[in-house]
Amino acid sequence: MIFRRNKKQVPGLNTASLPDLIFTVLFFFMIVTHIRHDAPKVEYRIPQGTELQKFTKKSAAIYIYVGKPLTMLQKKEGKEVKVQVNDKYVTPAELTDYIADERSRMQPEDRRNMTIILKADRNADMGTIIDVKQALRKANALRISYSAEKEESVTQQKASNK
């Protein structure tokens, strides 16, 4: 008598719902994740001001950071003030060409509304800031917004000093 073993096969894994799961997770991360275009590589403490307005049109904005370098390697190079645009250091002379390149990549509507947001350290050298402003003037970028934080009242400053 011949005995035959029944070879049972394991049924295949149903992957019909896998794309739905993947797209749900992708959608979740797209909603939750905050995208930052550039990370500051310079140290800056925002100056205080009294007449502040919130900037809303961010698609036509170019951020320029002015301050001392953050990393230890860059600090050893010197304590000079650096100018950063989109994750790279530029000199005020190079800034004119860089702004012109950025303007050429923008949509026509954004070109008209292009605003330079200058985030400078409150103790930054004014000579560097003037050089940056002169370079922006050469690039015909005349709409400049200075970043600042709301100034504390005198009573709040006295209370925090106690």
Side-chain angles (χ1 to χ4, degrees):
M1 188 170 180
I2 301 175
F3 290 102
R4 290 189 185 184
R5 288 190 178 177
N6 290 339
K7 294 185 178 179
K8 294 183 181 179
Q9 293 185 347
V10 177
L13 183 63
N14 186 5
T15 59
S17 63
L18 193 59
D20 293 336
L21 179 67
I22 290 173
F23 284 122
T24 304
V25 171
L26 179 66
F27 183 71
F28 172 76
F29 283 116
M30 286 173 50
I31 297 296
V32 173
T33 304
H34 179 275
I35 298 174
R36 184 175 184 126
H37 294 287
D38 52 348
K41 294 181 181 179
V42 295
E43 176 183 336
Y44 70 96
R45 291 180 312 172
I46 299 174
Q48 295 180 343
T50 55
E51 303 297 321
L52 303 178
Q53 295 178 353
K54 186 144 179 106
F55 186 71
T56 56
K57 183 79 173 167
K58 300 205 180 199
S59 66
I62 298 174
Y63 292 89
I64 298 176
Y65 299 94
V66 179
K68 294 179 183 170
L70 274 178
T71 63
M72 294 303 285
L73 179 64
Q74 293 160 342
K75 284 183 181 179
K76 291 178 184 176
E77 293 176 5
K79 292 194 173 192
E80 66 210 32
V81 174
K82 298 274 189 178
V83 179
Q84 176 196 341
V85 182
N86 290 347
D87 288 337
K88 77 176 202 179
Y89 292 123
V90 294
T91 63
E94 298 169 340
L95 189 59
T96 304
D97 296 331
Y98 191 83
I99 296 297
D101 290 342
E102 286 291 320
R103 179 182 282 138
S104 67
R105 290 187 209 140
M106 289 183 175
Q107 301 292 331
E109 181 182 323
D110 288 341
R111 285 184 199 155
R112 287 188 297 272
N113 297 327
M114 183 179 78
T115 303
I116 306 298
I117 299 177
L118 189 60
K119 293 189 171 195
D121 185 43
R122 65 176 66 175
N123 297 323
D125 181 33
M126 280 306 291
T128 305
I129 294 175
I130 290 171
D131 292 342
V132 167
K133 287 174 56 176
Q134 292 294 334
L136 292 173
R137 187 176 295 158
K138 287 179 187 173
N140 199 22
L142 304 176
R143 190 177 295 181
I144 301 173
S145 175
Y146 298 94
S147 179
E149 63 186 10
K150 193 132 179 106
E151 188 174 50
E152 294 180 22
S153 67
V154 176
T155 56
Q156 287 177 346
Q157 287 178 353
K158 287 181 181 178
S160 65
N161 289 340
K162 288 183 179 181

